[in-house]
Amino acid sequence: MTARRRTKIVATLGPATSSQEQIEAMILAGLDVARLNFSHGSAADHRERVRLVRELSARHDRHVAIMGDLQGPKIRIARFVDGNVTLRAGDPFTLSICHPIDAGTATIVGIEYPPLVRDCAPGDELLLDDGRVILRVESVDEIAVHTVVMVGGPLSNNKGINRRGGGISAPSLTEKDHQDIRLAAELELDYVAVSFPRSGADIEQARQLVRAAGSPAWIIAKIERAEAVANDAALDDLIRVSDGVMVARGDLGVEIGDARLAGIQKRIIQHARTLNKLVITATQMMESMISSPIPTRAEVSDVANAVLDYTDAVMLSAESASGQYPVEAVQAMARICLGAEQEPTSLKSHHRLGETFTRCDETIALASMYAANHFPGIKAIISLTESGHTPLIMSRIRSGVPIYCYTPHVATQRRAALFRGVYTVSFDAAGLPPAEVSNAAIDILRQQGLLQPGDWIILTKGDRYSNSGGTNGLKILRVD
């Protein structure tokens, strides 16, 4: 039987992937979660992409989740007279809150974030265009930040600004984000990603707005500010109040420096797994595939290392949104994930062996994984679930045993598309006599050729099928 890919694939939809043909090809290539980048595109664009994803995934009997990614307070310079300039090392360059927004030159440009003059001090380093241009702050007055160019190069309109070490005081949610949250609720998105959160309070605010808009979407915290990874307490504060996190390596790498990025990525993945949260690894994973049909060896290693660290998902950004080879990028990512998952380290877990548990469903979930990893006859785990929380906890433990999320709820079916090693089955246990539930659940996998007579399975469920968080039972059953 062909191995099933456990690591999930998130791909951003954009101008290159808006047609029915391209979206269908990506779904067939292995797309698990479609990302809408609210920094680009109109509401009408997003509505049409959601319609296509829902229609085409249903046609192919696939559960594909959709994530809306909020723009957040991206701090940007304004625009230049000629659209771009070239800055040279040693030259002075001023960022002004009073300069006309369309009149930038090689010596001065407007800024779209006036509080920058309060956030900066002499000696600070400002990084423009994802760190391609570096400025050192020489002085600050009420209307401008005066700098000298340390690393020069071309600079064009509306490029982002980061401060080395973080410390930009902009609130996490803008008025545009409020509008996009209402759009996410209208489109019944499964996940909402929050950009540039500083603390758990920012995620709590986002959750309140999402719920007020009438959406049950799970909240993903994008880890991209230096403050978020300043220490374990700050990181865990963000992880605990979210449903999952994204290692957003673009802005994070600019703020903390590239040298620390790989270590921080591993720490974020490990902390998310320990705290029973999802984790997505993102940004420039297959960047060369924007213009090349094959990835570089370094990109292959990057994706594989994230898989070996047990990320839930790996993500494509510009590669699928605007690149020339979006379908090939999904295919390559799927191939790399499968290859990395063959390593024995991805099947062995020593996680939580010395820990105590805090919830009944957590105890059942982790007991299931211990049994699955130590009883070679176990070929599948079936979790009858309302919210998907039990299979989520199960998927925090390394294992080669597939986890099947059995649920009647469409929202849970799509949500579980992001869980590592979890596969969704539409199943309504409440509609069956209690004595027939186990056999009916097993029969579905037998009919798909996933179980054979003599195999063993683990089945978990609650006494009541309508209660979220009520999983309290575990059975080990033999397939007859």
Side-chain angles (χ1 to χ4, degrees):
M1 185 165 51
T2 304
R4 298 185 70 175
R5 174 170 47 84
R6 298 193 293 278
T7 310
K8 304 304 179 72
I9 295 174
V10 183
T12 307
L13 302 184
T17 44
S18 291
S19 70
Q20 176 173 323
E21 293 75 20
Q22 287 287 63
I23 292 175
E24 185 169 33
M26 290 173 69
I27 290 172
L28 294 174
L31 175 68
D32 297 294
V33 182
R35 171 177 173 256
L36 306 178
N37 185 355
F38 286 141
S39 297
H40 305 284
S42 66
D45 293 334
H46 298 312
R47 285 191 185 94
E48 177 61 11
R49 288 166 188 155
V50 168
R51 184 190 70 79
L52 286 170
V53 171
R54 297 281 190 243
E55 179 183 302
L56 294 167
S57 58
R59 179 184 301 174
H60 293 286
D61 196 25
R62 289 283 311 280
H63 300 285
V64 177
I66 303 180
M67 175 190 301
D69 196 328
L70 303 178
Q71 177 174 291
K74 185 74 173 179
I75 314 305
R76 299 181 185 276
I77 60 172
R79 296 181 289 279
F80 297 98
V81 172
D82 297 321
N84 61 81
V85 297
T86 298
L87 303 186
R88 292 178 172 80
D91 286 351
F93 190 67
T94 298
L95 307 171
S96 171
I97 66 175
C98 295
H99 194 72
I101 61 171
D102 292 312
T105 69
T107 59
I108 187 169
V109 72
I111 48 176
E112 297 181 353
Y113 176 65
L116 187 69
V117 298
R118 298 198 304 267
D119 292 340
C120 291
D124 285 350
E125 288 185 12
L126 299 179
L127 302 102
L128 279 57
D129 192 14
D130 286 340
R132 293 177 177 87
V133 172
I134 302 177
L135 312 175
R136 185 181 66 243
V137 177
E138 296 291 293
S139 64
V140 182
D141 56 38
E142 293 181 354
I143 63 170
V145 179
H146 304 281
T147 77
V148 64
V149 179
M150 295 177 64
V151 177
L155 185 64
S156 56
N157 295 340
N158 304 121
K159 293 303 182 184
I161 306 172
N162 295 85
R163 178 177 175 270
R164 178 88 74 190
I168 298 293
S169 62
S172 181
L173 294 166
T174 66
E175 179 53 40
K176 173 175 168 50
D177 295 332
H178 287 232
Q179 296 172 7
D180 289 333
I181 284 172
R182 292 191 287 272
L183 177 63
E186 173 200 328
L187 298 177
E188 299 182 356
L189 301 192
D190 307 292
Y191 292 95
V192 171
V194 180
S195 296
F196 302 101
R198 291 166 298 184
S199 67
D202 290 335
I203 300 302
E204 294 285 19
Q205 181 191 6
R207 191 182 300 278
Q208 290 170 6
L209 291 169
V210 169
R211 297 294 175 264
S215 169
W218 280 20
I219 310 299
I220 302 294
K222 294 172 68 178
I223 309 295
E224 49 194 337
R225 279 183 161 168
E227 298 94 315
V229 294
N231 50 56
D232 285 351
L235 177 59
D236 289 351
D237 176 54
L238 262 177
I239 294 174
R240 282 194 177 95
V241 298
S242 68
D243 298 298
V245 295
M246 180 189 295
V247 190
R249 303 182 304 179
D251 285 283
L252 181 61
V254 170
E255 292 210 354
I256 67 173
D258 290 342
R260 295 190 59 209
L261 188 57
I264 293 287
Q265 172 179 312
K266 289 177 180 290
R267 176 148 49 104
I268 294 170
I269 293 172
Q270 186 253 318
H271 280 234
R273 290 180 58 231
T274 298
L275 294 172
N276 293 334
K277 307 295 183 177
L278 297 163
V279 56
I280 303 164
T281 305
T283 315
Q284 295 181 324
M285 299 210 82
M286 313 277 272
E287 185 86 349
S288 73
M289 291 197 72
I290 293 173
S291 57
S292 170
I294 59 172
T296 67
R297 292 292 183 266
E299 290 166 343
V300 170
S301 294
D302 183 31
V303 173
N305 272 304
V307 171
L308 292 170
D309 287 337
Y310 229 66
T311 189
D312 283 275
V314 286
M315 192 176 103
L316 297 167
S317 298
E319 302 96 328
S320 58
S322 57
Q324 298 176 36
Y325 301 97
V327 177
E328 290 85 351
V330 175
Q331 292 169 337
M333 194 165 256
R335 186 172 64 250
I336 297 163
C337 291
L338 276 168
E341 289 165 3
Q342 293 176 25
E343 285 301 303
T345 55
S346 71
L347 309 178
K348 296 178 181 177
S349 180
H350 301 285
H351 189 27
R352 309 193 196 197
L353 290 182
E355 296 182 23
T356 55
F357 309 137
T358 58
R359 294 173 45 151
C360 177
D361 55 353
E362 180 187 22
T363 304
I364 294 295
L366 297 174
S368 299
M369 299 312 297
Y370 189 88
N373 283 344
H374 290 81
F375 182 11
I378 301 293
K379 301 302 182 185
I381 300 166
I382 296 173
S383 174
L384 308 186
T385 180
E386 294 291 309
S387 67
H389 191 253
T390 300
L392 170 65
I393 300 173
M394 290 175 176
S395 65
R396 303 307 84 191
I397 302 298
R398 292 175 183 263
S399 178
V401 179
I403 301 162
Y404 293 94
C405 170
Y406 277 51
T407 181
H409 305 298
V410 173
T412 303
Q413 291 165 8
R414 294 200 299 245
R415 181 184 301 144
L418 187 52
F419 303 176
R420 178 170 177 137
V422 175
Y423 313 99
T424 301
V425 176
S426 300
F427 186 81
D428 186 4
L432 295 169
E436 296 180 13
V437 169
S438 297
N439 284 337
I442 291 171
D443 281 346
I444 292 175
L445 298 186
R446 285 189 61 177
Q447 290 165 11
Q448 295 178 14
L450 300 172
L451 290 176
Q452 306 297 327
D455 290 343
W456 292 85
I457 65 106
I458 291 172
L459 185 143
T460 67
K461 65 184 185 66
D463 289 334
R464 295 181 178 85
Y465 297 118
S466 59
N467 287 7
S468 179
T471 298
N472 63 359
L474 181 159
K475 290 182 177 180
I476 299 179
L477 304 169
R478 190 169 189 177
V479 180
D480 294 327

